[in-house]
Amino acid sequence: MRWAALLKGINIGGKKIPMADLKAVVEGLGHGDVKTLLASGNVVFTCAETEGAALEKQLEAALGKYGLKTDVVLRNGVELAAVIAGNPFPDAATDHPNHLLVSFHRDPVPEGLIAKLTEIYDGPERLKAVGRELYIDFPDDVGHSRLGPAMAKLKFPSLATMRNWNTVGKLAGLLG
């Protein structure tokens, strides 16, 4: 089975690993056809394991031995294709794909959080939770948005990692 491993916060905020080293860690676990994408902690590989939770723990432990403590979220090809097909903001994918982000979570986004968010934050962003993914359209500017602090105040799940729409598409392409 082909998997995409998305590492949280890599090569930003002090968590650093060269992509060649990330590839070597994954190959060292016995996984094949390993490819990295960009320098932000994306690695695609093939293995016999069909249970994502077990692989997430395996990768986190291996990275810990390398000295890197980070969360890993996995998606297989079918799951990533569903993420693309389920995009609730197709206009954003066309108009500004670098400002459409998908937050990948291990568990479904808790119900009601987005409704609570609108009670304390009235920014221009659009959000939609679909299963374990949270789609966020930043129509203006991702870097200057005040959405993050509002989400933190409501304790949105921290075990998540975001990728922009262009990267999601490239990962899907690597998964085949």
Side-chain angles (χ1 to χ4, degrees), residues 129-165:
V130 178
R132 297 183 299 164
E133 277 66 53
L134 177 63
Y135 298 82
I136 307 172
D137 172 25
F138 291 87
D140 297 331
D141 181 13
V142 177
H144 292 96
S145 170
R146 301 296 306 146
L147 178 63
M151 291 173 72
K153 184 175 182 176
L154 290 176
K155 302 195 185 321
F156 270 71
S158 62
L159 203 162
T161 185
M162 289 189 189
R163 298 297 184 271
N164 73 41
W165 195 249

